[in-house]
Amino acid sequence: ILFILLAAASVRGPPSHHCTLELSPAISINQKNFQFQKMSSEDNKKHVADEAKSCTSTSKKKRWFPLESNPTILNGYISKLGFNTDLYEFVDVYATEEWATSMVPKPVLAVLFLYPISPVQEQHRHKESSNNTALSHELSSKRKVWYTKQRIGNACGTIGVLHALANIDSNALIKPESWISTFLNHATYDTDPLVKAEILESDDVIETLHDDATQNNDNATGRGEIDDELLTHFIAFTNVDGMLYELDGRKDGPICHGETKQEQLLEDSCRVIKLFMERDPEELRFTILALAPK
């Protein structure tokens, strides 16, 4: 089920918010906020829109306004959820190369990645599914990976945030009796991903907090209309017991990308992120955020 994040279409640069990000000889990103543009190919647009509709449709047809990939917005949001932002906060990552990742304080607890849903990305997703790359619920539960499926249209910002926060191995960062503390007590890592999604879907508090974030004055773009088709998607990367996991509620389960260490999580995540970018070298709409110490 697709949850699409409305975001700055490329990573914001400091402090003028206008900087070029060089990711590889074939990839560069202009770092400034803009509304997502229509795909140049009408055929491609129809193909991906059909995918989006199939992924976002649920029995209840529930949709939220999309979040923006904006550290200020997300930090305020996770603080209201109950995460201690006095110690850690989301920050922009300006490139996948060492010069950029070395600027980010360590250890990074999680990485959020926004990318455009395009035919080539969809082909890869279907190939992963046919190859049974994703962990089953039984296996991911044994490895204590917290993962949920997505049932609410345009909510992948919240799903990405939950995947990031729920897999952090530190109770000190979650405020007792907060929304996220209560939620994670009910939706534990071994709860079926679809059951987690149903719990989330019926929760009025998180829906209100999400909606408030989409209306925040710090948003760089308007939130548009509730039925707008936004062909971008937000996923998370986390470290669980020394393994790097890609968490995407549209997929069959967590994707394991091999060993990692907390100090190396950002660099290892960027290694995988480069593969997304290399599959779509003409695309500019990518953002990377790291949950890093202050």
Side-chain angles (χ1 to χ4, degrees):
I1 300 174
L2 174 62
F3 292 76
I4 303 175
L5 175 69
L6 174 62
S10 53
V11 182
R12 291 166 297 282
S16 66
H17 300 269
H18 190 71
C19 172
T20 298
L21 167 56
E22 295 182 356
L23 297 160
S24 73
I27 302 172
S28 66
I29 294 179
N30 183 277
Q31 295 172 267
K32 63 180 180 179
N33 297 317
F34 57 92
Q35 292 275 15
F36 292 119
Q37 300 174 349
K38 295 180 179 179
M39 298 180 70
S40 58
S41 166
E42 289 301 318
D43 290 338
N44 284 352
K45 179 181 177 181
K46 183 178 184 301
H47 171 82
V48 180
D50 288 344
E51 287 284 347
K53 288 178 181 178
S54 68
C55 291
T56 56
S57 61
T58 70
S59 59
K60 296 183 180 180
K61 305 293 185 183
K62 191 167 220 179
R63 290 173 70 87
W64 293 353
F65 282 99
L67 283 173
E68 189 172 278
S69 181
N70 179 323
T72 301
I73 299 297
L74 291 180
N75 288 328
Y77 182 38
I78 64 175
S79 178
K80 291 179 180 179
L81 295 182
F83 182 80
N84 188 351
T85 52
D86 291 336
L87 301 176
Y88 278 79
E89 65 180 352
F90 281 114
V91 298
D92 280 315
V93 182
Y94 302 124
T96 57
E97 280 72 23
E98 190 276 336
W99 68 263
T101 59
S102 65
M103 295 169 58
V104 179
K106 305 296 191 303
V108 166
L109 297 183
V111 175
L112 300 182
F113 176 52
L114 178 82
Y115 71 96
I117 302 295
S118 65
V120 67
Q121 302 291 5
E122 289 301 277
Q123 289 168 11
H124 178 75
R125 182 170 68 91
H126 292 312
K127 182 178 179 181
E128 279 185 327
S129 180
S130 64
N131 290 341
N132 296 318
T133 305
L135 273 65
S136 67
H137 172 54
E138 180 181 4
L139 183 55
S140 61
S141 295
K142 287 182 179 179
R143 297 187 182 181
K144 298 186 177 181
V145 181
W146 195 96
Y147 173 78
T148 183
K149 294 291 286 183
Q150 301 171 272
R151 290 172 55 93
I152 306 167
N154 292 343
C156 75
T158 286
I159 298 299
V161 163
L162 293 179
H163 278 146
L165 301 186
N167 285 291
I168 294 172
D169 187 21
S170 176
N171 292 330
L173 294 172
I174 303 295
K175 298 174 183 177
E177 301 182 8
S178 63
W179 179 87
I180 194 167
S181 175
T182 302
F183 174 72
L184 293 178
N185 284 335
H186 286 90
T188 59
Y189 69 86
D190 55 351
T191 302
D192 186 275
L194 282 174
V195 174
K196 291 190 188 81
E198 290 168 358
I199 295 171
L200 186 66
E201 189 174 23
S202 63
D203 192 307
D204 293 335
V205 175
I206 185 64
E207 183 172 359
T208 297
L209 292 173
H210 173 107
D211 192 68
D212 288 347
T214 69
Q215 301 182 72
N216 191 294
N217 290 333
D218 288 317
N219 280 293
T221 57
R223 67 179 188 173
E225 301 296 329
I226 193 70
D227 292 321
D228 286 349
E229 292 177 0
L230 303 172
L231 306 179
T232 53
H233 188 56
F234 201 9
I235 63 176
F237 293 92
T238 63
N239 168 31
V240 179
D241 293 334
M243 304 299 288
L244 173 66
Y245 291 99
E246 172 193 335
L247 302 172
D248 179 349
R250 297 178 68 222
K251 296 187 176 181
D252 295 331
I255 307 292
C256 182
H257 288 287
E259 295 182 355
T260 191
K261 297 178 181 178
Q262 207 66 57
E263 288 285 344
Q264 195 67 24
L265 175 62
L266 177 56
E267 286 77 9
D268 289 339
S269 298
C270 284
R271 170 176 51 82
V272 180
I273 287 170
K274 284 181 180 180
L275 300 178
F276 280 80
M277 294 176 169
E278 290 167 358
R279 281 194 290 271
D280 223 346
E282 301 302 316
E283 187 54 78
L284 301 178
R285 298 171 294 172
F286 300 102
T287 68
I288 307 168
L289 302 176
L291 189 56
K294 283 190 170 181

